[in-house]
Amino acid sequence: MTLLKKIPFFLILLVLFFCLHGWLENFGFISFKEVLSPGVFIFLGIALFTAVVFLFTKDLLFASLIVFFISLWYLFFGALHDWVRNIPLLSFIKSYTAMLLTLLLFTGAWVIFLRKKKTLHPKLALYLNILLLIYCLVDVFSFVKAQTTRSTVPVVDGIKFDTTRVTQKPDVYLLLFDEYPGFASLKDSFNFANDSLRNYFTIRSFKILPVFSNYDLTYFSMSSMLNMQYLKKDFNNLQLTQRDFQRRGVEINHASLFPIFRSMGYNIRNFSIFDIDEQQAVSVENSFLLANSILLTDKILHNRLNRDLGDRLCKMIPFWKNSDFYQHDIDNKLSEKLLLNAAVEKKSEPQFVYTHFMMPHGPYYFDSLGNKNPFEKISHYTMWKDKPLFVAYLKYINKRMINMVNTLITHKPNAIIIVMGDHGYRSFNNENIYQAPRYDNLCAVRFPDNKHQQFKERWSMVNLFRYVFNCE
């Protein structure tokens, strides 16, 4: 008991509780390694911070109590901010400025209180040590219980597929361009016919399929397409939660499409933004996705600031500019390189290659000639609604798309090539989520020997791979 009054175990227990609780909160969506790595960095950061404060206070317990309070709200800032925003009486402090000022005022008051009440330090240490130990033990118990009662029910229902009817096994390349609108919505909403791309597809024997996306969000759209079925209605369109996106991520990873290709002897290659078929995404740094260790660290103050205010902070803080604003461009170039390398490789077994580019999804990095747009022009949140900027970027993307397709056709002339968007353009001034252009997406398919079957006037992306399989 004496040790609990003198030694600040609560700093270590705070890190342990943060990791355990985050792991439990995201049970099934995050691995031990993805919890351990940030946990170590957080512990080292708190230890260093404590050492710095100790230099000024010359009192380890005093320094530890100060560091504990600051670390507590810094680590759990996102959870605290979400709670405040849901309490009407606290709405006056829901802005980041008001919230941070309030926390700083409380921190100052806490330091003053500790300085005046030094006799309470041992009692506070005892209380925090015991409290956090109990919290950690409760989470350990809950985690063990969750592990032992884990469901073995398949993530998604399987699709029946008769492999005996397969006569040919061409390579299949899925080139997914995130938020690439269909020709109809480009013409109607942007007054841009995109004729050069349409003509290119015609010359290269592509069929532009009259599909539409059932969902205007990437996670939802890709889950339904790769599983060839509509999503279970276990979510509210107007109040989506992190858990809803996590479920879709698991559905994508274990999608019905991949076992079908494997049953035909295909090698599955993943150059996408998702973990698929137990293969890791191209980049785990992609801020677009709440996955991997980001599930644990998303609620930390600097990550919340970067997510919600990053475009404005980049203008005020020089080093923030290079944090992750250009991550999509880095990932796009890496995915393109991997795709082009795969195109020239000679493999004995057939390949299914899924490449997902975060373009023309913003930020709109380049103009139509491929010149880099000034940071100041594209960093503000209003950039997303700038239609001329979007169209210019789209024209640039078309050139890269055509180069990729030409390379595929040159080296894999007998491959099936699917070029498409996952949904339409979302950044309209009208935020109605049921606005038709949000669901109109590009979809063009090239078959060897032009083996297209009859298709309907208009049909859902859920049926795309059913159509592809029926054509072979």
Side-chain angles (χ1 to χ4, degrees):
M1 191 65 73
T2 304
L3 287 177
L4 294 178
K5 290 182 179 180
K6 293 182 177 180
I7 301 178
F9 295 114
F10 52 80
L11 290 179
I12 300 172
L13 291 170
L14 177 63
V15 179
L16 183 60
F17 173 68
F18 176 79
C19 293
L20 279 172
H21 200 71
W23 195 7
L24 182 63
E25 189 177 47
N26 298 287
F27 181 76
F29 302 101
I30 185 170
S31 69
F32 173 72
K33 183 180 179 181
E34 291 163 343
V35 172
L36 180 64
S37 181
V40 170
F41 279 104
I42 291 169
F43 172 74
L44 292 175
I46 288 178
L48 179 61
F49 187 27
T50 305
V52 171
V53 177
F54 175 74
L55 291 176
F56 292 93
T57 62
K58 308 300 181 182
D59 184 330
L60 179 60
L61 209 52
F62 184 24
S64 299
L65 288 167
I66 293 172
V67 170
F68 173 82
F69 186 78
I70 296 172
S71 301
L72 181 66
W73 63 256
Y74 194 94
L75 290 174
F76 292 93
F77 178 85
L80 181 61
H81 193 218
D82 291 342
W83 177 74
V84 165
R85 287 188 295 185
N86 289 322
I87 305 295
L89 291 176
L90 298 177
S91 60
F92 66 97
I93 59 168
K94 68 179 181 180
S95 71
Y96 276 93
T97 302
M99 187 82 174
L100 287 171
L101 283 174
T102 302
L103 288 169
L104 289 173
L105 286 172
F106 272 105
T107 301
W110 176 248
V111 173
I112 293 170
F113 171 79
L114 290 175
R115 286 188 63 182
K116 291 184 176 181
K117 302 289 184 178
K118 289 191 175 182
T119 55
L120 286 178
H121 293 185
K123 292 181 180 179
L124 286 170
L126 175 64
Y127 172 75
L128 292 174
N129 281 334
I130 294 175
L131 181 67
L132 283 166
L133 183 60
I134 291 172
Y135 279 169
C136 289
L137 290 174
V138 169
D139 274 355
V140 168
F141 175 78
S142 300
F143 186 86
V144 171
K145 183 179 177 182
Q147 190 71 40
T148 54
T149 58
R150 193 170 188 172
S151 173
T152 56
V153 177
V155 175
V156 289
D157 297 329
I159 299 293
K160 292 182 180 180
F161 188 84
D162 187 359
T163 57
T164 62
R165 300 183 63 182
V166 177
T167 57
Q168 297 184 50
K169 298 178 183 178
D171 289 346
V172 180
Y173 289 86
L174 172 61
L175 279 61
L176 199 296
F177 291 84
D178 204 285
E179 203 172 1
Y180 199 114
F183 291 99
S185 59
L186 281 174
K187 179 65 176 175
D188 295 341
S189 302
F190 296 84
N191 196 29
F192 175 61
N194 209 9
D195 285 335
S196 61
L197 185 64
R198 186 192 293 272
N199 293 336
Y200 170 79
F201 282 145
T202 301
I203 293 168
R204 283 300 200 171
S205 302
F206 278 83
K207 289 287 186 183
I208 299 170
L209 301 184
V211 305
F212 63 90
S213 176
N214 299 96
Y215 310 93
D216 66 341
L217 295 168
T218 299
Y219 271 92
F220 292 69
S221 179
M222 294 309 301
S223 175
S224 64
M225 187 180 84
L226 296 175
N227 284 294
M228 296 175 281
Q229 54 193 298
Y230 298 107
L231 302 179
K232 295 177 181 177
K233 193 61 171 108
D234 56 358
F235 57 90
N236 182 344
N237 285 24
L238 302 177
Q239 293 182 328
L240 294 172
T241 66
Q242 180 173 305
R243 182 66 66 172
D244 294 325
F245 287 91
Q246 289 173 335
R247 288 194 189 102
R248 306 295 84 83
V250 173
E251 289 164 3
I252 290 168
N253 192 345
H254 300 282
S256 302
L257 185 68
F258 309 129
I260 291 175
F261 273 111
R262 283 201 308 272
S263 71
M264 294 186 288
Y266 274 77
N267 178 31
I268 296 169
R269 307 188 70 178
N270 180 27
F271 305 144
S272 81
I273 61 174
F274 298 106
D275 292 344
I276 67 161
D277 200 41
E278 303 305 335
Q279 296 180 44
Q280 196 172 61
V282 166
S283 170
V284 296
E285 300 299 327
N286 197 319
S287 62
F288 170 73
L289 301 169
L290 279 178
N292 307 106
S293 60
I294 299 173
L295 290 169
L296 180 69
T297 59
D298 176 63
K299 291 182 174 64
I300 297 177
L301 174 61
H302 63 269
N303 287 330
R304 273 299 177 94
L305 289 174
N306 197 47
R307 189 190 76 178
D308 296 340
L309 303 175
D311 54 346
R312 279 159 275 187
L313 289 171
C314 286
K315 294 183 177 181
M316 297 185 288
I317 306 173
F319 69 81
W320 214 290
K321 181 180 294 187
N322 298 317
S323 57
D324 71 352
F325 185 81
Y326 291 98
Q327 190 63 49
H328 285 337
D329 184 44
I330 294 168
D331 294 343
N332 290 335
K333 287 173 179 174
L334 176 57
S335 295
E336 183 175 355
K337 179 182 177 182
L338 292 170
L339 173 69
L340 295 177
N341 288 343
V344 300
E345 292 174 355
K346 296 188 181 301
K347 298 280 187 179
S348 56
E349 69 273 14
Q351 309 289 307
F352 172 72
V353 182
Y354 169 31
T355 312
H356 194 125
F357 301 101
M358 289 301 294
M359 56 184 189
H361 187 289
Y364 312 137
Y365 296 113
F366 302 95
D367 65 16
S368 60
L369 299 177
N371 300 312
K372 201 168 186 177
N373 284 321
F375 176 79
E376 295 72 20
K377 186 176 182 180
I378 61 173
S379 60
H380 197 266
Y381 64 94
T382 56
M383 167 271 298
W384 300 91
K385 301 179 187 296
D386 191 323
K387 289 186 178 182
L389 200 62
F390 175 78
V391 170
Y393 189 47
L394 192 80
K395 292 177 181 178
Y396 163 74
I397 300 306
N398 284 350
K399 295 173 186 176
R400 287 176 65 176
M401 178 195 296
I402 288 170
N403 176 63
M404 287 183 245
V405 173
N406 282 340
T407 302
L408 287 173
I409 293 175
T410 299
H411 295 278
K412 302 290 174 66
N414 295 318
I416 296 173
I417 303 173
I418 305 168
V419 180
M420 64 185 303
D422 55 340
H423 53 75
Y425 179 79
R426 288 200 308 256
S427 300
F428 295 98
N429 288 324
N430 180 357
E431 297 300 332
N432 175 14
I433 66 168
Y434 299 111
Q435 198 172 32
R438 296 168 73 102
Y439 303 89
D440 179 53
N441 61 294
L442 172 72
C443 185
V445 181
R446 183 181 191 272
F447 282 101
D449 303 321
N450 206 19
K451 293 182 177 178
H452 284 275
Q453 288 190 357
Q454 190 70 27
F455 45 80
K456 297 179 181 179
E457 251 181 58
R458 196 84 172 127
W459 44 274
S460 162
M461 250 169 62
V462 167
N463 296 310
L464 174 66
F465 276 98
R466 294 177 188 268
Y467 170 78
V468 170
F469 291 140
N470 288 331
C471 287
E472 278 298 307

